[in-house]
Amino acid sequence: MAEPRTIDIKDQPGFRSIAIICLLVLYVPVLILMIFSLNSGSLVTHWEGVTLGWYGSALRNAEFHNAARNTLIISVTATIVSTICATLAAIGMTRVKPWRGLSAAFMVINLPLMVPEIITAVATLSFFALIAGMFGLNFGIGNLILAHTVFCIPFAYMPIRARLEDMDLTLEYAAADLYATPWNAFRRITLPLLVPGIMSGAALAFIVSFDDFTITQLVAGPGQTTLPLYIWNQIRRPMTPEINAISTILLLVSILFVSVSFLIARQRAK
Amino acid sequence: MGIAFKNRVTAPQLPSRPAYGDNQIGTNLPPRAGSLNGVIVPEQPGKSAIEVRGVRKVFGTGENQVAALDTVSVSIRENEFFTLLGPSGCGKTTLLRLIAGFDFPSAGEILLHGQDIAPLPPFKRPVNTVFQSYALFPHMTVAQNIGFGLEMLGTPKAEIEARVAQMLKLVKMEALKARRTSQISGGQQQRVALARALAPQPKVLLLDEPLSALDYKLRKEMQIELKRLQHETGITFIFVTHDQEEALTMSDRIAVMSAGKILQVGSPRDIYDRPAERFVADFIGETNFLAGTVVSKKSGVATVKFASDATIGAGYPEGFDPTGEVTLVVRPEHADLVPDPAKGTITGTLSNIVYFGTDTHYHVKLDGGGENFIVRHQNTRSSPVTYETGAKVGIQFEEDAARVLKD
């Protein structure tokens, strides 16, 4: 036995069956949802034949269009703003002299991850109700963008900070040594090397904002229906496979988005 | 012709001459110091490139304070290959970081050509560093890495390209200029790191144990390479190492450091043959220490008496007045064995003979007690005498072999 033996997970008793059960529980419902989007009948529980008709009617549905546009406006804006904030926060907390309140700031940024979302939702609702009542301020869809931006920041912050902490500080010393001002060193060295972290932070923020329900449900005003809210409203009526088609479209968009950001991150990391 | 250093503290004052690449590559002219800078720096032995004056560096606060550098002063000359030598934790890297500007001294000043640079940030110092880990930018090619410093200085594009080409040639890396730095070997990364640091023509090049990550053969090669580069560029090199052999073979002068202090500064010969302190003697090479008593002294030579009543003349460090009980240092190759104990200055019993191929070490247990004394003999085809373990022998000293140590 010359070579030290490492444990092979596949040899562990029960590994195979537990893994299969987990995969089934996770993905079979999704798979069934996707299959029934092709059902030619009008029930989501009774299979009659194959059709793409529900995709057609979903894509022609004006309410769906409206919800999709709202969702994209909110998610994209919230992703961009929260990623910028998270990047600045991560730099301000790793690339500076330790300052008083540094660990407190870290806690505050990450607290939203631990607070139950319904509490954040109620608090956000009260906040907007308060400023509407006191100052008559209502930003319309801006309320939702603001709320999404705030709760996306910790999600974007985590991977960016991790990347900054893993980065070799000597590279920044080397840049300074080679006459790069702090701004140039950041622009030419730190930022390009940080891109994979920023990409995964942004992807995470986008997904979190894209499918947020709880906060959106409470904060959204009339005409501010997002896709999750739209789906929620639909399933309270008699359901048709159109819902399945819409859900499948959402799923494919998410998968596409995550894959692209993953590929970009991997490309940059090379 | 010389490229202007925007960030240089002092502009080069001498008239410009053609740069190295224009007039000397391909000729038999001897390399000239400073010629790569486009400036011929005349021999000025006394002129210092870097002068460190009373520099202290303290880390931590209150009771946890540690002085990494304890009031260090040293003057490093122009065009010199200067080595900071010492064990890890002696403060040599701290001193290098202070010169580079990555840290600021707690007290004292650091002069570059007479001007205090201690308060300047690193990007305003005409000093470049070769890092122990090389710190090459992973998202850039070899050529982009080498050109980075010039780009930051705002050098015109055409000039950057010309200089990068020149640097690639200097370190023999032309073929790999378009590679990513992750696609080249450790030795090649080392060369790129050197070229990158040399490209902006710094006044001083700092090297932080740059060879420690290389294997033995490559390290030997790079030692010669570094020496050549220093000679060809005429730039002052400050080299940090804990490897005494590296220091002895490459340096013009060495500063031996221990516990935040510089113990001795001198040429490799000075340091090896005339160590001033026990630490220096012990850290560099193999050494014998002998106890004796000073009986008289005259013009730099003390007469020291051993327990056996035999006496020996021994030099001592300048500015030091040896009296009473002292410690002498003798290198193993500066002593000789004689078969007849009566002819030796000191006597003892051979306790061990170790054969090394090129030479043989004889361990002698001295009659007066104390540590074993080691004598090194160069092996020749016909060694005149053969010794047996347990034999009584005498030890003779070459002239100037013994030195009195300060402590």
Side-chain angles (χ1 to χ4, degrees), chain B residues 342-377:
Chain B
K343 286 190 179 157
T345 312
I346 52 175
T347 57
T349 315
L350 258 183
S351 64
N352 207 357
I353 300 171
V354 187
Y355 178 74
F356 278 97
T358 53
D359 45 37
T360 306
H361 290 192
Y362 298 91
H363 296 236
V364 181
K365 193 162 173 42
L366 296 181
D367 287 342
E371 293 170 57
N372 268 356
F373 192 99
I374 299 171
V375 174
R376 176 149 70 217
H377 265 195

Side-chain angles (χ1 to χ4, degrees), chain B residues 93-144:
Chain B
T93 297
T94 304
L95 183 54
L96 204 74
R97 288 174 61 85
L98 292 180
I99 297 172
F102 304 139
D103 264 319
F104 298 98
S106 309
E109 35 182 29
I110 298 168
L111 305 183
L112 176 74
H113 293 283
Q115 200 167 334
D116 189 11
I117 57 164
L120 292 180
F123 58 91
K124 286 192 178 156
R125 301 184 186 206
V127 169
N128 291 142
T129 308
V130 178
F131 294 87
Q132 187 169 8
S133 59
Y134 314 145
L136 297 177
F137 305 131
H139 56 303
M140 297 183 189
T141 64
V142 165
Q144 284 168 337

Side-chain angles (χ1 to χ4, degrees), chain A residues 168 170-171 173-182 184 188-189 192-193 270, chain B residues 7 97 102 122-123 125 127-129 131 135-137 139 149 151-152 196 200:
Chain A
D168 183 6
T170 323
L171 294 176
Y173 282 130
D177 189 65
L178 292 162
Y179 312 106
T181 57
N184 275 336
R188 296 293 309 277
I189 307 301
L193 293 173
K270 268 183 191 168
Chain B
N7 292 327
R97 288 174 61 85
F102 304 139
F123 58 91
R125 301 184 186 206
V127 169
N128 291 142
T129 308
F131 294 87
L136 297 177
F137 305 131
H139 56 303
E151 204 184 314
M152 290 296 116
R196 185 180 71 175

Side-chain angles (χ1 to χ4, degrees), chain B residues 274-353:
Chain B
R274 289 177 288 281
E277 298 188 33
R278 192 184 184 104
F279 179 87
V280 177
D282 212 16
F283 189 69
I284 298 171
E286 267 184 296
T287 312
N288 296 302
F289 296 108
L290 293 167
T293 315
V294 175
V295 287
S296 67
K297 56 198 167 236
K298 199 173 95 187
S299 57
V301 178
T303 304
V304 179
K305 196 172 78 172
F306 294 117
S308 62
D309 272 353
T311 59
I312 187 171
Y316 50 87
E318 222 173 290
F320 172 67
D321 186 29
T323 45
E325 301 273 314
V326 290
T327 305
L328 294 177
V329 55
V330 181
R331 295 290 179 189
E333 65 276 21
H334 295 165
D336 211 355
L337 278 191
V338 283
D340 178 6
K343 286 190 179 157
T345 312
I346 52 175
T347 57
T349 315
L350 258 183
S351 64
N352 207 357
I353 300 171

Side-chain angles (χ1 to χ4, degrees), chain B residues 24 44 60 74 78 94 101 105 122 146 159 162 174 200 217 226 258-259 286 306 310 319 344 388 394 405:
Chain B
Q24 274 180 314
Q44 285 170 299
V74 65
E78 269 181 14
T94 304
I146 297 174
E159 218 166 313
E174 293 110 313
K217 197 164 167 271
L226 272 178
S258 169
E286 267 184 296
F306 294 117
E388 297 280 334
L405 291 176

